[in-house]
Amino acid sequence: MPREVPLHGVYLPSLTLLFLLAFLLGWGLDRLFARFGLYRHAWHPALLRVALFTCLYCALALTIYR
């Protein structure tokens, strides 16, 4: 994957697209966790959401910058 992606004449870093993809994946997993009541077992659900997003974003970024 190229490190810069053209979008209407503006070059964006590919990490921007990965940020959006991680956001969508995190949102989907968040809905899944909420549906099955997994947040009852978390000490701080908001912290778990941030950690989930961070792990997804870093894992996706490693696919490019490895």
Side-chain angles (χ1 to χ4, degrees), residues 20-34:
L20 295 175
L21 181 62
F23 176 76
L24 292 174
L25 285 172
W27 181 76
L29 285 173
D30 180 55
R31 294 292 98 209
L32 189 68
F33 289 174

Side-chain angles (χ1 to χ4, degrees), residues 26-41 48-49:
W27 181 76
L29 285 173
D30 180 55
R31 294 292 98 209
L32 189 68
F33 289 174
R35 170 177 260 170
F36 290 115
L38 296 176
Y39 284 123
R40 288 182 288 133
H41 305 290
L48 181 62
R49 287 181 179 111

Side-chain angles (χ1 to χ4, degrees), residues 7-8 12-14 16-17 19-20 23 26 28-29 33 38 50 58:
L7 182 67
H8 298 292
L12 295 174
S14 58
T16 304
L17 297 177
F19 182 88
L20 295 175
F23 176 76
L29 285 173
F33 289 174
L38 296 176
V50 171
C58 291

